[in-house]
Every structure is written in C-alpha cells, then in structure tokens.
C-alpha cells in the first residue's frame, strides 16, 4: 500500500521479494471495485482476509490482527501553496495538538506505543508533501512515554524529499496523481527534495532498511 496513490503498486513488493523477503502488494483504493478515495467505510475484513491469506505462507509468522480506519484530518486549504510544479501540502495538513495522552481524540493518532518490534523511520527534511518532522516526533515521543524508545531508529536526511526510494531511483520532485485529484482537487503534488541530497539519502538508507 502506497499512501494516497491508489491502485495496485507492485514494484516495491517485487523488489523486496527479489531480496528474499515475503512481500504482499495490496490495493486498498482506486482499484477494481474498491473506493476511489481514502474512506472510513472501507471494510476492515478486506485487510483481515489478505493478512490471513498471507500468513498461511510457511515463511510468514502468524499475526494478531487488530485495526481500524481512521478519519482524515481536513486540509487547511488557505495554507496550500500553488507553484508551477504543483501544490505544496506540507503546511496545509494541521499538526495535531495534545497527542501525548495514551487515548487521543484523533483516531488517526494510532497507539504506536503498543509496538513491540523494532521500527525504522526514514524521512527527509525537504519533504513538501507532509510534515515528516512532526510525524516522526509524534511517534518517538509516544514510544518514550512507555519506555520503548529503544525500539525506534530514525534516519533523518537534510534536504531529501518525500519519496525516499531504493538507490538510483530518480528524484520525484512533483508528480501527477489522478486518483488523488478526485478527493483533494489537486492534480499535481509537490513532493520536494534537492536532487543530490535526495540521491545520497537513498543510497544511505537502502542498506540500513
């Protein structure tokens, strides 16, 4: 699953599989009879069925499935920035206040403090799509509150953009997202990133992932 792009995105699962990982590419919107946009009405049994099928593979560990669909924070449209390359969302997605309590009034603030396995967060400070600094701090602070910060490793890359891909993947500074335009109204989205810094980030992050 790849953000709000939609469709069936298989290249990352294929790449992981070629390196010996059991990987599953799962469409969750904008594909066949699935909703065209992110929606709380998506049936969670759809994901559970996929997880159960995947866990039947002899190389995949059994799982304890729990989940729900969160609401989407509304954009502050007045803070969107329109450029020749496309729309910058980073400043239009509100930062959630009061996220440290174990129970948040925002369902999208998932209880990451319940995680019991190592987590690697990779992000670039030049991300113009979302506020990655805020999201990373949110996750780390909630883990700290439960004494689990040792599970969290962070790779922070100055001037790298939103889409940190495997090495030698071209920088995607901005792109056309037809499916996203149906629910956001913006066809071209700026992902950000300085070309050389982004390339170095991808080369450094891949062997550490």
């Amino acid at each position: 699953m790849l953000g709000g792009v939609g469709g069936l995105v298989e290249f990352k699962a294929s790449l992981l599989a070629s390196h010996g990982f059991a990987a599953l590419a799962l469409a969750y919107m904008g594909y066949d009879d699935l909703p065209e946009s992110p929606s709380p009405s998506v049936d969670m049994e759809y994901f559970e069925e996929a997880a159960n099928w995947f866990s039947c593979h002899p190389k995949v560990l059994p799982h304890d499935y729990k989940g729900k669909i969160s609401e989407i924070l509304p954009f502050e449209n007045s803070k969107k920035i329109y450029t020749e390359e496309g729309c910058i969302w980073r400043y239009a997605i509100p930062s959630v206040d009061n996220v440290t309590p174990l129970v948040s009034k925002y369902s999208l603030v998932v209880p990451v403090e319940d995680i019991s396995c190592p987590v690697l967060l990779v992000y670039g400070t030049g991300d113009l799509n979302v506020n990655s600094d805020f999201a990373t701090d949110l996750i780390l602070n909630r883990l700290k509150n439960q004494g689990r910060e040792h599970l969290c490793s962070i790779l922070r890359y100055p001037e790298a953009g939103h889409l940190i891909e495997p090495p030698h993947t071209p920088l995607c500074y901005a792109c056309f997202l037809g499916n996203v335009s149906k629910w956001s109204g913006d066809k071209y989205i700026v992902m950000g990133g300085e070309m050389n810094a982004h390339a170095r980030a991808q080369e450094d992050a891949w062997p550490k992932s």
Side-chain angles (χ1 to χ4, degrees):
M1 298 185 289
L2 185 61
V5 174
L8 183 60
V9 184
E10 299 177 295
F11 75 94
K12 286 188 176 180
S14 299
L15 181 60
L16 289 170
S18 71
H19 285 267
F21 292 93
L24 172 65
L26 181 66
Y28 73 104
M29 57 176 262
Y31 185 78
D32 283 350
D33 59 348
L34 294 170
E36 290 191 351
S37 61
S39 171
S41 65
V42 174
D43 189 350
M44 291 304 296
E45 290 184 0
Y46 169 77
F47 298 96
E48 186 171 11
E49 181 181 357
N52 287 335
W53 175 85
F54 193 47
S55 65
C56 289
H57 191 285
K59 297 294 185 180
V60 176
L61 295 175
H63 69 282
D64 180 18
Y65 178 83
K66 295 179 181 179
K68 63 180 180 179
I69 298 294
S70 67
E71 88 272 19
I72 299 173
L73 282 178
F75 283 108
E76 296 181 24
N77 289 320
S78 62
K79 294 184 179 180
K80 287 182 178 180
I81 300 175
Y82 289 93
T83 69
E84 291 183 356
E85 292 86 2
C87 184
I88 296 174
W89 283 359
R90 178 185 174 97
Y91 310 104
I93 302 175
S95 296
V96 180
D97 296 324
N98 194 28
V99 296
T100 53
L102 295 184
V103 178
S104 173
K105 65 179 180 179
Y106 301 98
S107 70
L108 81 169
V109 180
V110 298
V112 294
E113 60 275 1
D114 293 340
I115 292 173
S116 59
C117 64
V119 177
L120 176 63
L121 305 177
V122 182
Y123 77 100
T125 64
D127 186 345
L128 295 179
N129 183 236
V130 299
N131 189 341
S132 298
D133 293 285
F134 165 76
T136 301
D137 288 343
L138 185 155
I139 294 171
L140 180 60
N141 288 335
R142 289 180 71 90
L143 286 170
K144 278 184 177 179
N145 287 340
Q146 296 300 303
R148 293 186 173 182
E149 67 271 22
H150 63 281
L151 294 174
C152 185
S153 299
I154 299 173
L155 298 179
R156 178 181 183 273
Y157 294 105
E159 298 185 82
H162 181 68
L163 296 172
I164 298 180
E165 303 282 14
H168 313 302
T169 303
L171 167 66
C172 178
Y173 182 82
C175 59
F176 169 77
L177 297 176
N179 194 66
V180 170
S181 68
K182 295 176 182 178
W183 57 268
S184 71
D186 302 314
K187 290 185 178 181
Y188 296 91
I189 310 299
V190 177
M191 301 297 177
E194 190 280 322
M195 183 172 62
N196 292 324
H198 195 85
R200 288 192 295 269
Q202 292 185 155
E203 290 182 3
D204 185 76
W206 176 250
K208 297 177 180 178
S209 300

